[in-house]
Amino acid sequence: MADARPRFVGLVIVLGLLAGSGALTDQVRADGSGTTGVPVAAAPATPAHRLAAKRLTNGCAYQARGIPRCGALLGAAYGANTNPIGWERSMHHSLGVHRTYWSHAGVRGAVRQARRDIAAHRLPWISLKLPRSWGAMAAGHGDSWVRYVARGLRSVRGPVWVAFHHEPEGDGPIRSWTRMQQHIAPIVRRTAHNVGFSLVLTGWNELYGARRYRLGALWPHTKIDVLGFDVYNQSGVVRNGTRTRTRTDFLHGYFTRFLRFARSHDVAWGLAETGHTDWSARTDPGWVLRTYRQLVRQHGIAFSYFNTRLHSIAPWRLVGAKGRAFARALRSSPTL
């Protein structure tokens, strides 16, 4: 089950290199130190008290860092950080949340896309890779880069959620990842009052995997705003020539447990990635809407579908009747 998570390796590097020109200069060295890259002609930060007086289109208030008091944003990753405007027009509704993925050199592109998202009433949920190892970042050797990221996101005229090295399971010593998050979260939150600091984990590992990945074992002792999980419906996934026909139990197998942990740690939670196969869509066409409603009832605040072919072990992409079913669910959901 854990193998169902997509991996972004080459993609984020390519996207960072191709980011193009914008309002920021990316001159941060690879070690994250001695940055000369600073926001250039960046808009001044919007005061937190002005950002706080906002409501979603369903009337639910959301605070400066974008955490709604009720309801959940439904959205997606799309292509290779592709602008979703054409897709949105075909669905007659904006995405509520937009997931994008960037290398450590792609800060300029990430900030530019976040500004586009806010202008289109989407909440940007960004994943960034790091310029140095988890241990080096935890020791403060990447602090100048972290502040650079936070200042860039602070220039966005609305809330942004950011995660640093999502899906860490298996990528290194997890305690170093925890120390890294514990060190950089206060820097980001202190620098940018519009930024929600998020962690993004696979979900399966935390509930059913090795003990070192349990939520209580890897949780950083600092304020986290959003806890995201990448959980996919395994129905229809083919492994070694055998098709899985059992639907993943999102409600009892995941959502109720996520909510219990979130409440005990004063953190909001949501799905940072999810998807279902073409086979699943044919046998269970109402899966997206039903699962989204289950998430709302369990006080999740975001549901982001992985709508791309990239780094996929199964056909998650939203096409045909599967795409139309997602569009119907989207039209029932709020935006900024």
Side-chain angles (χ1 to χ4, degrees):
M1 186 178 293
D3 292 336
R5 53 192 185 128
R7 309 295 297 177
F8 285 82
V9 181
L11 168 64
V12 292
I13 295 174
V14 172
L15 289 168
L17 293 174
L18 297 180
S21 62
L24 296 180
T25 59
D26 276 341
Q27 298 174 21
V28 182
R29 291 201 293 268
D31 65 355
S33 65
T35 175
T36 59
V38 295
V40 176
T46 304
H49 72 275
R50 289 180 59 192
L51 286 168
K54 300 288 186 179
R55 292 188 179 275
L56 301 180
T57 54
N58 64 358
C60 290
Y62 64 92
Q63 42 101 308
R65 300 185 196 272
I67 313 300
R69 293 184 180 275
C70 57
L73 298 167
L74 176 59
Y78 181 57
N81 288 355
T82 307
N83 189 336
I85 186 65
W87 181 37
E88 289 173 322
R89 286 172 178 162
S90 72
M91 296 187 292
H92 308 290
H93 199 281
S94 296
L95 299 175
V97 63
H98 183 207
R99 283 284 279 136
T100 57
Y101 305 84
W102 307 88
S103 75
H104 76 271
V107 177
R108 178 175 53 198
V111 172
R112 186 169 60 248
Q113 183 57 57
R115 289 173 176 164
R116 292 192 190 111
D117 286 338
I118 289 296
H121 309 290
R122 314 175 197 114
L123 192 150
W125 195 351
I126 296 166
S127 276
L128 281 166
K129 294 298 186 184
L130 299 164
R132 303 201 63 176
S133 70
W134 295 343
M137 297 296 292
H141 299 307
D143 285 2
S144 57
W145 178 84
V146 174
R147 286 190 290 269
Y148 169 74
V149 171
R151 288 195 301 267
L153 297 179
R154 186 178 64 193
S155 72
V156 177
R157 294 284 188 161
V160 182
W161 297 344
V162 63
F164 295 88
H165 200 123
H166 76 285
E167 293 189 5
E169 301 92 335
D171 290 347
I174 197 64
R175 290 186 179 179
S176 294
W177 179 87
T178 296
R179 289 195 300 270
M180 176 270 293
Q181 302 289 355
Q182 184 170 314
H183 177 76
I184 69 175
I187 299 173
V188 172
R189 299 185 80 254
R190 183 170 58 245
T191 304
H193 295 288
N194 63 316
V195 174
F197 192 92
S198 72
L199 305 179
V200 176
L201 303 162
T202 63
W204 185 90
N205 280 287
E206 285 63 45
L207 298 181
Y208 305 108
R211 188 173 298 276
R212 65 183 178 276
Y213 295 137
R214 298 300 166 90
L215 283 168
L218 55 70
W219 189 252
H221 296 289
T222 190
K223 175 60 181 175
I224 305 298
D225 298 291
V226 183
L227 177 56
F229 297 100
D230 295 351
V231 182
Y232 288 73
N233 186 353
Q234 298 299 299
S235 176
V237 173
V238 177
R239 289 191 180 87
N240 301 319
T242 301
R243 186 185 303 278
T244 300
R245 296 177 179 272
T246 303
R247 298 186 186 119
T248 299
D249 184 353
F250 278 75
L251 178 58
H252 300 103
Y254 290 96
F255 291 174
T256 58
R257 300 184 186 195
F258 293 160
L259 174 60
R260 188 180 308 120
F261 183 87
R263 281 181 166 168
S264 67
H265 288 75
D266 188 29
V267 64
W269 76 273
L271 283 180
E273 290 177 17
T274 192
H276 70 147
T277 64
D278 297 347
W279 188 88
S280 171
R282 289 192 296 272
T283 58
D284 187 12
W287 177 81
V288 170
L289 182 58
R290 184 178 68 253
T291 307
Y292 169 70
R293 287 174 173 171
Q294 289 174 344
L295 178 142
V296 171
R297 287 195 293 271
Q298 296 302 312
H299 304 283
I301 64 168
F303 180 115
S304 180
Y305 192 98
F306 191 67
N307 185 20
T308 177
R309 293 190 181 95
L310 296 171
H311 304 275
S312 299
I313 67 159
W316 311 121
R317 192 162 171 260
L318 293 166
V319 292
K322 185 179 178 182
R324 291 190 291 274
F326 177 86
R328 286 193 294 273
L330 184 68
R331 288 193 289 268
S332 70
S333 69
T335 63
L336 296 180

